[in-house]
Amino acid sequence: MSRGLEIIETYLSRVSGVRWTDVVEIIIISFLLYNILVWIKNTRAWSLLKGILVIAVFILIAAYFEMNTILWIVQNVFGVAVTAVVVILQPELRKAVEELGRKNIVSSILPFELGKNLIEGRFSDKTIHEIARACVEMGKVKTGALIVVEQNDSLTEYERTGIDVDGIVTSQLLINIFEHNTPLHDGAVIVRGNRITSATCYLPLSDNMGLSKELGTRHRAGVGISEATDSLTIIVSEETGKISVAYNGEIERNLSGDALKEKLRTIQNKPEEESRKRILWKGRSKGEK
């Protein structure tokens, strides 16, 4: 009891000498631990961590009952086990490091372009109109198309499988890309913001056995990328000309042009109040009513 009181007194005596750098250090460590836990929960590391905890419990039981053979095996296998964990989680670790490299920490803390992002959203209304117009036109002549619209999850690894385009989204460009017998028509187009970044990209196919047997490879690829990322994928059927949208691993079929625009607006991330105020302010500045 007296030992515990001495520890508390020592701790309290040290609190008065806490430096501001100590507080910053605590905040940084807390931030890192929180993001690591979030990363673990959103990847296969979460299931792996639960398995490791189960193994740790058995090791503790073996240590308590002095099961020397099991403890000897654990000591000799530990180094190999760490390497195996790194190999198993290699895709997740690579993605985490890439996201850290792409993340602009300063702008996330001090968002100087916050007003611009609030007004424009993830992409403009013109981009929505151009994509919808292209899909409707391609549907009329039964031209197959696969358009992936990026949100927060990066699609860089899928862009690398295609050919760089880096062009502004227009209906004419999309129609020309997917036109039959052209070099870029086979594969998917990736849209980031208001630009087409790549064409002829390969996408992962969905393993969902619940999908209709009527759906071909193009639709399964659209569902597959929506399962792997938070992107929205637009599919135009080459057989029927119908427009479908895949999002969060689910597919919605037979959409009209207006319905497609509404789907795109749901991920535009453009606050309605902000855009309405801006339109009203523009009208008043021009003397409109």
Side-chain angles (χ1 to χ4, degrees):
M1 185 67 180
S2 59
R3 178 61 179 170
L5 292 174
E6 289 177 3
I7 294 173
I8 295 173
E9 289 175 358
T10 304
Y11 174 77
L12 292 176
S13 64
R14 291 180 178 177
V15 169
S16 59
V18 173
R19 300 171 301 169
W20 68 269
T21 53
D22 297 330
V23 176
V24 173
E25 189 176 11
I26 292 171
I27 293 173
I28 292 172
I29 293 173
S30 302
F31 175 79
L32 291 174
L33 286 175
Y34 172 78
N35 281 276
I36 289 172
L37 291 173
V38 170
W39 173 77
I40 289 174
K41 186 176 181 181
N42 294 331
T43 62
R44 290 184 297 175
W46 180 245
S47 299
L48 186 63
L49 180 61
K50 290 189 289 186
I52 291 173
L53 290 176
V54 173
I55 295 173
V57 170
F58 281 109
I59 294 173
L60 290 174
I61 294 173
Y64 181 78
F65 290 104
E66 298 182 355
M67 299 177 181
N68 297 324
T69 304
I70 294 177
L71 295 176
W72 179 84
I73 293 173
V74 170
Q75 290 174 358
N76 287 273
V77 174
F78 182 77
V80 178
V82 173
T83 305
V85 169
V86 173
V87 172
I88 292 171
L89 296 179
Q90 187 269 338
E92 284 78 8
L93 290 172
R94 177 181 173 181
K95 183 177 179 181
V97 174
E98 286 180 347
E99 288 180 355
L100 182 62
R102 287 190 296 267
K103 191 175 292 183
N104 192 335
I105 300 175
V106 176
S107 64
S108 62
I109 298 174
L110 301 172
F112 297 106
E113 297 184 355
L114 180 61
K116 181 180 178 181
N117 292 333
L118 283 174
I119 294 170
E120 294 184 356
R122 189 169 281 115
F123 42 81
S124 66
D125 291 335
K126 181 178 183 295
T127 295
I128 293 176
H129 175 75
E130 294 293 333
I131 292 175
R133 180 181 175 185
C135 291
V136 171
E137 292 298 323
M138 287 187 288
K140 290 179 180 178
V141 295
K142 296 184 179 180
T143 299
L146 187 57
I147 304 170
V148 185
V149 182
E150 184 184 75
Q151 285 204 83
N152 298 317
D153 293 348
S154 174
L155 301 177
T156 304
E157 60 180 298
Y158 304 105
E159 291 177 10
R160 292 171 183 164
T161 64
I163 298 173
D164 293 337
V165 176
D166 192 25
I168 296 175
V169 176
T170 62
S171 58
Q172 293 87 348
L173 178 56
L174 287 170
I175 292 171
N176 285 337
I177 287 175
F178 290 110
E179 185 65 33
H180 294 290
N181 301 321
T182 57
L184 302 179
H185 84 281
D186 189 21
V189 157
I190 293 179
V191 174
R192 177 182 297 121
N194 297 313
R195 304 188 73 84
I196 298 173
T197 61
S198 298
T200 70
C201 300
Y202 294 101
L203 305 180
L205 298 180
S206 174
D207 294 327
N208 186 356
M209 301 301 295
L211 293 177
S212 173
K213 301 299 181 182
E214 299 176 359
L215 301 179
T217 304
R218 184 178 285 111
H219 290 79
R220 288 191 172 273
V223 176
I225 189 66
S226 72
E227 292 172 342
T229 68
D230 65 350
S231 60
L232 183 144
T233 306
I234 305 162
I235 309 106
V236 180
S237 173
E238 190 172 353
E239 289 75 23
T240 64
K242 300 291 180 65
I243 301 172
S244 303
V245 166
Y247 188 59
N248 285 336
E250 298 181 357
I251 187 167
E252 189 170 345
R253 304 168 65 185
N254 302 331
L255 297 179
S256 63
D258 292 335
L260 176 57
K261 290 180 182 179
E262 290 301 318
K263 289 291 182 182
L264 289 169
R265 289 192 183 99
T266 59
I267 65 166
Q268 189 182 14
N269 197 25
K270 179 179 178 182
E272 294 183 1
E273 283 297 323
E274 292 293 332
S275 59
R276 189 180 297 113
K277 288 178 182 178
R278 184 173 176 83
I279 292 171
L280 290 173
W281 177 257
K282 281 185 175 180
R284 290 174 182 174
S285 64
K286 293 180 181 179
E288 298 174 357
K289 295 183 180 179

